[in-house]
Amino acid sequence: MFVRVRNRYRNLREAGHASKITTLLVRSLADMSTTNDGSTGELRHDARVLLGPGPSNLHPRVFRAMASPILGYLDPEFLAVMDNTMALLRHLFQTENELSITLPGTGMSAMEAAVCNVVEPGDEVVVGVHGFFGQRMAEIVERHGGTAVRVEVGFGQVIRADQIEVALDAHPDAKMVAVVHGETSAGIRQPLKDIGKLVREREKLFLVDTVCSLGGAHIPVDEYLIDICYSGGQKCIGGPAGISCITLNDRAMAVIDSRSRPVDTWYLDLTLIRKYWLSDRGYHHTAPGSLIYALHEALRLVQEEGLQERFARHQKCGDLLKAGLTQLGLELFGDPENRLPMLTCVMIPDGVDDAAVRGRLLQDYGIEIVGGFGPLKGKAWRIGLMGYSCSERNVHYLIAALREIL
């Protein structure tokens, strides 16, 4: 496959459509192929340039970390890795919260944990909905016996603090306000600061989903008065899928500790998981060691790069991508003032076959982008620049490929 890619990209370069450096990308992808024609039953697939909404490509150091020796879940060396991971998560979340930990499972397990530990039957939760994942959060509230008070705006828009205020006025007993910071389905960044201030004044809990954006945008948990915040490992953080992270402050844990009944899921009960991470070190579950090693290394890379430098890289590459797409005559989706840097939603031109374009990108160039869903299904592409995948080289490569295909 990549012989075709090299030949095609050589033509692009000679035509002046891309820089020479992108040829290195093709060579590196070819070298990373796991194909072994002499094997039977082994993994056989080529590496991709992952430019969808997640997962993102992994830094080689993260791969190496996953190959570290397995340790027992109470081995002193493994407990030290857990302690270091908590310190690195506090740095990333920009918080002093003691309980800043990983959870087994994807970002959805963290969403479920954030909701089910707080919500008891009959509790009201104000949920901001401006895309698919806000709606999913509301559904999880309802599955755990709560009442989701939806504050809905259209795809591509953001929720204003005054809209949350109206909902709180109408539902003064609401226990929590929940919003999605980076709405992956629409490529929109939700402002948080004013909502956080309002929620704290009303003495409610403030829950923020940052699965898409943590590690790629400035989200100071303590400064924004966020009580519970969670993310997934496989996007801007630059780790693998299958592991998530969450941080809760003392206000949130006090609410959880004062529940009238036990949390209705044993596996994600933070009162139990907390003991494994912080105090008793008692067995709760067998921790996914290799995934924790990988996330730990990804967090080390975040720290080494520097938070502000990392945020600036995502913003710069996101701006470059949007400029390139616009030059191709494509229309960007959503509120221009609140578009995410790491996830761009772009409309598919009339007469262009969505699946055919994505298929050619994948087969001829080894690039993955993803189509829209919900009201944007078949109408938009979602392009991610997250973590290790976020580079100017990848932007130039994708734009050159789209220029030839379109």
Side-chain angles (χ1 to χ4, degrees):
M1 182 188 76
F2 281 99
V3 172
R4 298 199 309 272
V5 174
R6 284 196 294 269
N7 291 339
R8 183 174 294 278
Y9 207 69
R10 187 180 297 113
N11 294 335
L12 285 172
R13 189 180 70 254
E14 291 172 354
H17 292 322
S19 63
K20 294 181 180 179
I21 194 171
T22 49
T23 60
L24 299 176
L25 172 65
V26 178
R27 293 196 188 101
S28 66
L29 287 170
D31 291 341
M32 288 173 63
S33 170
T34 59
T35 300
N36 183 351
D37 293 335
S39 68
T40 301
E42 295 183 19
L43 291 176
R44 299 179 59 190
H45 58 270
D46 295 310
R48 308 294 196 196
V49 183
L50 296 175
L51 301 182
S56 59
N57 292 111
L58 299 182
H59 192 287
R61 282 172 47 183
V62 176
F63 277 117
R64 290 197 296 269
M66 279 195 283
S68 299
I70 297 296
L71 298 171
Y73 57 85
L74 292 178
D75 187 296
E77 291 192 27
F78 186 68
L79 297 180
V81 173
M82 292 170 63
D83 288 342
N84 290 335
T85 301
M86 284 191 287
L88 290 166
L89 283 172
R90 292 184 193 107
H91 172 257
L92 176 59
F93 279 114
Q94 301 181 66
T95 184
E96 299 296 325
N97 294 343
E98 183 182 29
L99 192 61
S100 300
I101 61 175
T102 71
L103 291 173
T106 66
M108 286 311 309
S109 71
M111 179 187 284
E112 185 112 27
V115 171
C116 75
N117 277 269
V118 172
V119 174
E120 298 187 66
D123 286 342
E124 292 182 325
V125 179
V126 175
V127 183
V129 178
H130 60 118
F132 178 85
F133 290 97
Q135 180 61 35
R136 178 174 286 184
M137 196 185 304
E139 292 173 1
I140 290 176
V141 168
E142 293 167 343
R143 282 182 177 237
H144 289 281
T147 298
V149 180
R150 291 169 172 81
V151 178
E152 296 191 59
V153 297
F155 258 55
Q157 303 302 311
V158 297
I159 299 147
R160 303 188 312 273
D162 65 281
Q163 293 172 300
I164 298 294
E165 185 174 22
V166 169
L168 289 174
D169 288 342
H171 300 272
D173 294 329
K175 195 173 192 178
M176 184 164 65
V177 173
V179 299
V180 177
H181 175 256
E183 181 50 76
T184 316
S185 63
I188 294 299
R189 172 170 46 190
Q190 171 63 47
L192 300 174
K193 192 171 184 177
D194 290 344
I195 297 177
K197 182 179 179 181
L198 169 67
V199 173
R200 183 63 59 89
E201 289 172 351
R202 295 297 184 94
E203 298 183 342
K204 313 299 183 184
L205 292 182
F206 188 28
L207 166 62
V208 179
D209 174 309
T210 63
V211 170
C212 173
S213 50
L214 188 70
H218 182 54
I219 309 167
V221 166
D222 290 353
E223 179 185 338
Y224 286 177
L225 305 177
I226 300 169
D227 298 297
I228 307 172
C229 188
Y230 63 86
S231 191
Q234 76 277 16
K235 300 196 181 194
C236 291
I237 295 175
I243 188 167
S244 54
C245 52
I246 190 169
T247 186
L248 301 92
N249 62 20
D250 291 342
R251 294 179 76 250
M253 289 310 302
V255 170
I256 294 170
D257 288 336
S258 65
R259 290 174 59 99
S260 62
R261 54 186 289 166
V263 177
D264 61 6
T265 170
W266 186 92
Y267 191 53
L268 295 175
D269 185 341
L270 292 172
T271 65
L272 301 178
I273 296 173
R274 171 180 57 182
K275 295 177 181 179
Y276 176 45
W277 280 86
L278 295 181
S279 55
D280 299 344
R281 296 295 197 183
Y283 169 73
H284 178 264
H285 64 276
T286 301
S290 296
L291 295 180
I292 291 177
Y293 299 156
L295 188 69
H296 178 274
E297 190 62 25
L299 293 170
R300 288 184 66 231
L301 288 164
V302 171
Q303 185 181 58
E304 290 172 13
E305 183 176 3
L307 290 181
Q308 300 309 316
E309 291 78 8
R310 191 177 185 87
F311 304 155
R313 171 166 62 87
H314 281 81
Q315 188 67 57
K316 181 179 181 180
C317 290
D319 290 344
L320 183 66
L321 173 64
K322 290 174 177 63
L325 294 171
T326 301
Q327 289 171 4
L328 291 178
L330 302 179
E331 177 188 354
L332 302 178
F333 176 77
D335 179 0
E337 298 298 319
N338 292 292
R339 289 173 180 149
L340 286 167
M342 72 289 296
L343 194 287
T344 297
C345 195
V346 59
M347 304 307 293
I348 300 170
D350 292 340
V352 172
D353 187 310
D354 169 25
V357 171
R358 288 189 288 111
R360 281 198 61 190
L361 283 172
L362 192 64
Q363 295 301 316
D364 293 350
Y365 301 91
I367 298 172
E368 178 188 80
I369 66 171
V370 175
F373 60 105
L376 296 179
K377 184 176 182 180
K379 300 178 182 179
W381 293 312
R382 293 180 295 144
I383 303 171
L385 295 168
M386 302 177 177
Y388 192 52
S389 294
C390 177
S391 68
E392 294 183 45
R393 178 181 66 179
N394 282 345
V395 173
H396 291 307
Y397 184 38
L398 173 63
I399 294 299
L402 285 174
R403 181 179 293 114
E404 180 174 271
I405 293 172
L406 298 176

